[in-house]
Amino acid sequence: MQVYADNAATTKVSQTAIDALLPCLTDKYGNPSSIHSFGQAASREMENAREIIAQCLNAEPKEITFTSGGSEADNQALLSAAAAGEKKGKKHIISTAFEHHAILHTLDKLSKQGFRIELLPVYQDGVVRLEDVEKAIGEDTALVSIMYANNEIGTIQPIAQIGALCKERGVLFHTDAVQAAGHLFIDVKAQNIDMLSLSGHKFHAPKGSGVLFVRSGSVPLINVIEGGAQERGKRAGTENIPGIAAMAAALKESCENLDANAAKVSAMRDRLIRGLEQIPESVLNGHRTNRLPGNVNFCFKGIEGESLLLMLNQAGIAASSGSACTSGSLDPSHVLLSIGLTHEVAHGSLRLSLSEYTTDEEVDHILATVPTVVERLRAMSPVWESMQKGK
Amino acid sequence: MAMNYSDLVIDHFTNPRNVGEIPDADGIGEVGNMKCGDIMRMYLKIKDDVVEDVKFKTFGCGAAVATSSMATELIKGKPLSEVIKLTNAAVVEALGGLPAVKVHCSVLAEEAVKAALYDYYTRKGLPLPEGIEAPCNGDCAHCCSH
């Protein structure tokens, strides 16, 4: 049995997305900038997609810019907000300790340009505190950027409250909603969101398409990519029509089935959590219920993540981990460290992320396999041996 | 990051040889630390200057398990004069190669064997052979520089 439990990394493309995409390869393949009917057909496809996506977010079509994905959208959001802030002498940016690297590394770049970056703590439950955001906002704050839901531990941030606070204080608010879009309810107007990033391949569209939402009049966009006049001159490059069409269809389908999917998936998630926490010396990472419907993240003491994944892979289970060996650096994931885990415990992490395609049989297989694998690895671990001997 | 492990590495990971402990070991070495996320412990039983038995336990990734397993295979039944010359290169070769980012695991395996030997020689009050020194001092750059 092959169980794909790594939907937080990427998702299987839905039939709906494929159906929207294929005609763009065979019929509507024109360049939207062309005057002729091939181009115009492609252009209509694109504007249709823009309209659909805007509707899903309760935004206006002109507030939607197509990008190559979430990372590009994050980069453009931060650089644009920073540039606008700088013009007004505001060089303070507030974010959190466990943002995606697309945010953190862009903030590093801005820091080298003289911006003061403040990363708020996320505490043991992986949720940022509204009071901390409030205390941090000052006269020179250009932007608050806080992810909607964390990619590793799935915890959901108080976005609507932060949005309201930022509006009250006159500060720009961006949210990296890459993990949330298509899975959690988003309403940029009701939630007072000024900018938002999302990425198609996290909700059953192909890789290579994303969206940057920017509320009309909130901040002028700075180009990350210079060139032709596409996307109102704000994002050059011939538009990825197949990807855009697929992304719109996938987002629409996800949003229409949001509640039903969330109910089904979170039930499987909770069953997994209840099963896996039976394993001795296991730790559930992040708030138990305030997390994405499909996200499960545990640490198993005394063992290491990559070897855990290798054994699970051999049993047909695809998952991920925050261990150093899987991150390619000497440190385990910054997300796990941000919720207070020691290096030792963080190395033994396992992330399972489900989707509406996951079945109960697959959950059964995971529940039958993980404890056995953990036991096998512990039997050969000097760390586990020392733990047992009480050293 | 995709991991290109050879079949031999996968074999030694899935079916590691000589896992366990030796309660009355003649030499025990433990190297690595939680910072790098790899810890290996080697137990040696030595008789008439030959490694009569060897067991290991490892906390670490696929390469860490495979290199420590292969290291025990390479030294079991061998005379000490040979064992003190074990190199990480020999371990990597025996495994049919390792991805570049994982070569440091083989260095740790070599260090684990040498740490066990260090323990053996010091316990017996014997002079340390060349190449046998005090084990891992927690300086990760040492292994990673290979």
Side-chain angles (χ1 to χ4, degrees):
Chain A
M1 183 188 260
Q2 287 283 322
V3 177
Y4 184 71
D6 200 16
N7 287 279
T10 196
T11 59
K12 177 174 173 172
V13 178
S14 67
Q15 193 54 53
T16 303
I18 293 171
D19 291 344
L21 182 148
L22 286 178
C24 298
L25 301 180
T26 53
D27 302 319
K28 298 175 215 173
Y29 55 81
N31 185 319
S33 301
S34 299
I35 297 294
H36 48 63
S37 48
F38 288 87
Q40 290 318 296
S43 176
R44 271 194 306 274
E45 190 68 31
M46 178 171 69
E47 294 314 320
N48 200 39
R50 199 187 306 273
E51 172 101 35
I52 289 171
I53 291 171
Q55 254 178 45
C56 292
L57 302 175
N58 193 19
E60 307 303 314
K62 64 181 177 183
E63 297 174 323
I64 303 296
T65 300
F66 292 119
T67 67
S68 60
S71 296
E72 188 190 325
D74 280 346
N75 271 255
Q76 191 167 28
L78 293 182
L79 295 176
S80 303
E86 190 164 27
K87 284 206 176 82
K88 299 179 197 155
K90 299 187 182 198
K91 296 194 76 169
H92 175 230
I93 299 176
I94 299 167
S95 189
T96 75
F98 69 178
E99 299 291 315
H100 187 273
H101 282 142
I103 295 289
L104 291 178
H105 292 175
T106 308
L107 290 176
D108 281 342
K109 180 158 115 167
L110 290 170
S111 156
K112 293 192 180 91
Q113 292 170 12
F115 285 84
R116 182 169 62 93
I117 311 298
E118 186 170 349
L119 300 180
L120 300 177
V122 291
Y123 302 90
Q124 206 182 10
D125 59 358
V127 182
V128 78
R129 302 300 194 249
L130 190 67
E131 312 86 79
D132 289 346
V133 182
E134 198 171 12
K135 262 184 262 162
I137 293 177
E139 291 297 310
D140 63 338
T141 305
L143 171 73
V144 169
S145 176
I146 294 177
M147 65 198 321
Y148 204 114
N150 182 271
N151 52 309
E152 288 202 38
I153 58 179
T155 49
I156 303 169
Q157 308 309 304
I159 296 303
Q161 293 169 288
I162 296 170
L165 171 67
C166 288
K167 178 167 179 184
E168 198 193 328
R169 303 287 291 270
V171 179
L172 269 178
F173 175 43
H174 165 258
T175 182
D176 172 348
V178 166
Q179 292 288 328
H183 308 292
L184 299 173
F185 174 75
I186 298 175
D187 180 331
V188 295
K189 288 191 179 80
Q191 295 170 326
N192 290 299
I193 296 169
D194 295 313
M195 290 187 284
L196 177 147
S197 315
L198 62 84
S199 174
H201 75 101
K202 306 292 189 181
F203 52 82
H204 309 292
K207 300 162 192 55
S209 287
V211 163
L212 173 59
F213 154 79
V214 179
R215 188 173 56 75
S216 217
S218 62
V219 60
L221 280 178
I222 297 289
N223 282 45
V224 172
I225 303 181
E226 299 285 7
Q230 295 89 352
E231 296 303 279
R232 277 169 254 102
K234 298 304 178 184
R235 199 280 183 185
T238 304
E239 303 91 336
N240 177 4
I241 303 304
I244 287 167
M247 179 172 57
L251 188 59
K252 179 164 188 259
E253 185 176 51
S254 292
C255 290
E256 280 167 357
N257 297 293
L258 204 78
D259 292 336
N261 287 342
K264 172 183 162 183
V265 178
S266 58
M268 288 188 287
R269 171 200 70 192
D270 292 341
R271 189 155 78 87
L272 262 182
I273 291 176
R274 284 193 304 272
L276 296 179
E277 66 187 355
Q278 298 306 309
I279 298 173
E281 299 296 336
S282 62
V283 180
L284 173 68
N285 296 317
H287 197 284
R288 193 187 182 86
T289 53
N290 188 24
R291 65 194 302 138
L292 288 166
N295 182 296
V296 175
N297 193 309
F298 272 91
C299 281
F300 300 109
K301 295 185 184 176
I303 62 173
E304 188 274 333
E306 193 210 272
S307 44
L308 182 52
L309 296 183
L310 282 174
M311 286 195 178
L312 288 176
N313 190 46
Q314 285 171 342
I317 299 167
S320 88
S321 166
S323 78
C325 293
T326 57
S327 76
S329 78
L330 271 186
D331 288 318
S333 113
H334 65 288
V335 173
L336 296 178
L337 294 178
S338 78
I339 58 170
L341 298 181
T342 60
H343 275 63
E344 173 164 343
V345 174
H347 282 309
S349 63
L350 175 69
R351 179 186 72 181
L352 297 156
S353 42
L354 317 175
S355 81
E356 60 268 37
Y357 297 153
T358 310
T359 65
D360 278 312
E361 289 73 34
E362 290 174 336
V363 173
D364 291 339
H365 183 53
I366 296 173
L367 285 172
T369 311
V370 174
T372 317
V373 167
V374 170
E375 212 177 291
R376 256 179 86 190
L377 289 170
R378 282 177 169 169
M380 57 165 130
S381 162
V383 177
W384 179 251
E385 190 189 312
S386 299
M387 278 175 69
Q388 297 301 95
K389 290 179 180 165
K391 282 185 203 160
Chain B
M1 24 181 313
M3 210 38 74
N4 299 324
Y5 284 143
S6 70
D7 289 341
L8 266 173
V9 171
I10 296 293
D11 180 32
H12 273 264
F13 168 71
T14 316
N15 308 298
R17 307 6 178 192
N18 307 308
V19 175
E21 345 162 20
I22 299 174
D24 57 342
D26 297 306
I28 303 176
E30 183 166 318
V31 295
N33 57 53
M34 260 324 152
K35 264 188 68 190
C36 75
D38 270 338
I39 295 185
M40 297 177 187
R41 190 184 291 162
M42 287 272 171
Y43 302 83
L44 298 175
K45 195 96 190 90
I46 295 169
K47 190 169 172 196
D48 298 328
D49 285 352
V50 169
V51 174
E52 195 180 55
D53 196 13
V54 54
K55 292 262 187 267
F56 84 95
K57 285 211 171 175
T58 288
F59 167 106
C61 60
V65 173
T67 51
S68 32
S69 166
M70 180 54 88
T72 64
E73 287 272 273
L74 292 177
I75 67 173
K76 192 166 181 178
K78 297 279 170 32
L80 287 180
S81 53
E82 250 184 72
V83 176
I84 58 176
K85 295 193 201 137
L86 178 73
T87 62
N88 75 300
V91 175
V92 175
E93 200 187 309
L95 282 170
L98 276 178
V101 298
K102 293 296 185 182
V103 170
H104 72 272
C105 296
S106 66
V107 176
L108 206 60
E110 177 194 324
E111 302 271 311
V113 169
K114 296 195 167 156
L117 289 171
Y118 175 86
D119 184 42
Y120 167 73
Y121 284 110
T122 6
R123 275 200 227 173
K124 289 220 142 188
L126 293 169
L128 295 174
E130 199 183 307
I132 306 299
E133 325 160 314
C136 173
N137 60 359
D139 172 23
C140 294
H142 170 70
C143 285
C144 291
S145 63
H146 282 69

